[in-house]
Amino acid sequence: MVGAAEIAHLVPHAGAMCLLDRALEWDAARIVCATARHRDAGNPLRRDGMLPAVCGLEFAFQAMALHGALTAGAAQPVGYISSLRDLELRAERLDDIAGELRVTVEALVAEPGGFIYRFEVSGVGGVLLRGQAAIILPDRAA
């Protein structure tokens, strides 16, 4: 298991913007993370007293960055989202979801210039959002 302090050194986010509490398990293709930061009143993504479900994308993007760092053995260059596909939002907000969120990402394609990940954010009641994202690593793109 990897905790929040180590995660903060591996993802390109700092302070309250580092949204993952723990990496529960990972291998070359997949990572499962847990967090309760969706319920934090100080979450910097909150707007008008709530955390919209679309903000779950940032939890997934951070899990992708963490997966890249853990499988490479070091923090990776900053990646950029080049596309989102098949995005399904099944909730309006995240801050009213009890307990922890599980953030699961699976690398469908992994190349030196980027990744394609399938992702899912779920809570006690089931899947809250899911989809697919393409990430470009410009320092490594051919």
Side-chain angles (χ1 to χ4, degrees):
M1 185 174 77
V2 175
E6 188 174 353
I7 291 170
H9 292 293
L10 294 171
V11 299
H13 302 81
M17 245 338 266
C18 190
L19 300 175
L20 301 174
D21 291 328
R22 296 182 317 285
L24 303 173
E25 60 184 78
W26 69 92
D27 59 28
R30 175 177 180 272
I31 190 168
V32 179
C33 299
T35 187
R37 297 189 190 200
H38 63 293
R39 298 186 56 79
D40 183 353
N43 186 309
L45 298 176
R46 287 177 72 100
R47 295 292 177 264
D48 300 322
M50 66 174 278
L51 183 66
V54 72
C55 293
L57 288 168
E58 182 60 30
F59 290 82
F61 297 154
Q62 289 188 27
M64 293 172 203
L66 181 59
H67 181 257
L70 289 172
T71 56
Q76 296 292 289
V78 173
Y80 298 95
I81 308 305
S82 65
S83 73
L84 286 173
R85 293 181 183 242
D86 303 325
L87 181 60
E88 293 179 37
L89 294 174
R90 295 182 172 188
E92 273 190 52
R93 57 193 296 176
L94 298 179
D95 57 296
D96 62 353
I97 304 297
E100 289 188 318
L101 298 180
R102 288 283 191 264
V103 183
T104 304
V105 302
E106 179 184 2
L108 304 175
V109 175
E111 296 179 345
F115 299 87
I116 297 175
Y117 278 102
R118 179 176 305 137
F119 61 87
E120 183 174 284
V121 177
S122 58
V124 174
V127 175
L128 302 167
L129 68 133
R130 68 172 149 207
Q132 184 174 300
I135 313 298
I136 294 175
L137 302 174
D139 293 344
R140 296 186 176 183

